[in-house]
């Protein structure tokens, strides 16, 4: 177990490297994903930014603590509360520290532009959504993008990855796909993708964010037409006010 504040991870006898509990990390990722999604939707749909500001401040602080010592991370400790009766799944601490460092540096511009100075834009919101996607991938599938990047950049590869994926060289029959299963997977992905497309482009935009997405995917010609329509609308409203 951990002997000092400056030791990153726990020493478990049967493991040659310092390790962390992956179940705890996944639980905390799920908690952060749920709160982050609700706060972001709250800001986008009804324009209430308070919850988003608090979440982003907490997210930045939490990931800073994780980089220093995850044993004191608030979200990790809350996650431990829910999974304390489950058998730990140990993973290497170094790759998780690298991944959480990436998360922390992603949080810094969000903290500056959306907490200290509320200056939202589509691309800043997209960074928030990207972080939520990473949290979802870790919580749902135990996939850590930062750990994957760590394996590419570092000469010494990760050890003790979730589910033993570091040393996986052969997939059991239950992990493989036959032709019919591949067709089902491909069809599901296509249908889900079309559903997202239909939602974004065939549903009237009722939020500023939806309008921003639609506008950024327009051609330049269509953007000019939209500007002209808006100009004519504003001009008509101005003339009506003059008549009154």
């Amino acid at each position: 177990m951990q002997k000092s504040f400056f030791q990153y991870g726990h020493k478990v006898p049967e493991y040659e490297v310092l390790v962390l509990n992956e179940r705890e990390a996944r639980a905390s990722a799920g908690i952060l994903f749920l709160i982050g999604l609700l706060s972001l939707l709250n800001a986008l749909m009804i324009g209430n930014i308070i919850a988003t500001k608090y979440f982003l401040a907490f997210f930045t602080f939490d990931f800073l603590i994780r980089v220093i010592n995850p044993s004191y991370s608030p979200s990790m400790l809350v996650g431990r509360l829910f999974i304390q009766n489950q058998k730990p799944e140990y993973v290497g601490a170094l790759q998780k520290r690298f991944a959480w460092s990436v998360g922390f540096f992603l949080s810094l511009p969000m903290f500056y532009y959306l907490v200290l100075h509320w200056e939202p834009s589509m691309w800043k919101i997209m960074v928030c959504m990207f972080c939520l996607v990473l949290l979802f991938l870790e919580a749902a599938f135990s996939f850590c993008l930062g750990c994957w990047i760590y394996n590419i950049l570092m000469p010494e590869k990760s050890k003790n990855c979730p589910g033993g994926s570091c040393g996986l060289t052969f997939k059991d029959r239950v992990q493989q796909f036959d032709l019919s299963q591949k067709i089902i997977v491909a069809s599901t992905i296509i249908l889900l993708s079309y559903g997202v497309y239909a939602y974004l482009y065939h549903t009237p935009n009722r939020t500023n964010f939806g309008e921003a997405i639609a506008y950024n995917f327009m051609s330049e010609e269509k953007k000019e037409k939209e500007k002209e329509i808006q100009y004519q609308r504003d001009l008509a409203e101005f003339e009506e006010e003059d008549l009154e």
Side-chain angles (χ1 to χ4, degrees):
M1 290 289 103
Q2 188 167 334
K3 293 183 178 180
S4 72
F5 179 81
F6 297 101
Q7 176 180 301
Y8 198 86
H10 304 283
K11 183 63 180 175
V12 179
E14 56 267 36
Y15 294 90
E16 59 183 88
V17 296
L18 296 174
V19 293
L20 297 169
N21 187 358
E22 174 67 10
R23 294 186 190 277
E24 189 176 302
R26 292 181 67 181
S28 67
I31 292 168
L32 289 176
F33 170 75
L34 178 62
I35 298 173
L37 181 63
L38 292 175
S39 67
L40 184 62
L41 290 176
N42 192 60
L44 296 177
M45 300 304 175
I46 64 176
N48 189 329
I49 64 173
I50 299 301
T52 304
K53 284 190 169 187
Y54 275 110
F55 170 74
L56 289 175
F58 176 80
F59 182 90
T60 305
F61 172 75
D62 188 71
F63 269 70
L64 174 61
I65 298 299
R66 289 189 192 205
V67 173
I68 298 171
N69 190 330
S71 295
Y72 301 96
S73 158
S75 69
M76 294 280 284
L77 292 175
V78 174
R80 181 184 300 178
L81 180 66
F82 289 97
I83 55 88
Q84 59 184 318
N85 294 323
Q86 299 178 19
K87 183 179 179 180
E89 180 186 355
Y90 291 115
V91 295
L94 284 181
Q95 62 260 33
K96 299 299 287 188
R97 188 179 207 176
F98 177 86
W100 290 335
S101 298
V102 173
F104 173 66
F105 284 110
L106 282 174
S107 73
L108 289 178
M110 293 191 297
F111 181 78
Y112 181 80
Y113 287 111
L114 299 176
V115 178
L116 298 180
H117 306 279
W118 182 253
E119 300 173 7
S121 69
M122 191 188 79
W123 301 113
K124 293 168 189 173
I125 300 299
M126 292 299 286
V127 173
C128 293
M129 296 182 70
F130 177 68
C131 290
L132 290 179
V133 169
L134 296 184
L135 290 172
F136 174 77
L137 290 175
E138 181 167 11
F141 308 118
S142 199
F143 174 75
C144 174
L145 180 63
C147 301
W148 181 74
I149 296 173
Y150 176 92
N151 265 343
I152 295 175
L153 298 179
M154 300 300 174
E156 185 175 350
K157 303 304 179 185
S158 301
K159 295 181 180 179
N160 303 110
C161 299
S165 56
C166 294
L168 186 64
T169 56
F170 175 78
K171 294 181 180 179
D172 290 336
R173 176 66 188 88
V174 72
Q175 297 172 287
Q176 300 174 19
F177 296 87
D178 60 28
L179 179 60
S180 61
Q181 291 169 332
K182 290 179 180 178
I183 292 173
I184 292 171
V185 170
S187 301
T188 301
I189 292 173
I190 291 171
L191 287 173
L192 287 174
S193 300
Y194 178 76
V196 172
Y197 168 81
Y199 176 79
L200 291 176
Y201 296 102
H202 297 296
T203 302
N205 295 310
R206 293 185 174 88
T207 66
N208 292 333
F209 183 64
E211 291 178 358
I213 291 178
Y215 181 79
N216 278 275
F217 282 94
M218 288 181 186
S219 64
E220 291 300 323
E221 181 180 354
K222 192 168 184 180
K223 285 181 181 179
E224 291 299 323
K225 288 182 179 179
E226 288 293 323
K227 288 180 181 178
E228 180 62 26
I229 292 171
Q230 185 61 43
Y231 172 76
Q232 295 298 334
R233 188 181 296 123
D234 292 342
L235 182 61
E237 291 178 358
F238 178 76
E239 290 175 348
E240 286 179 6
E241 289 177 359
D242 275 356
L243 291 174
E244 291 175 358

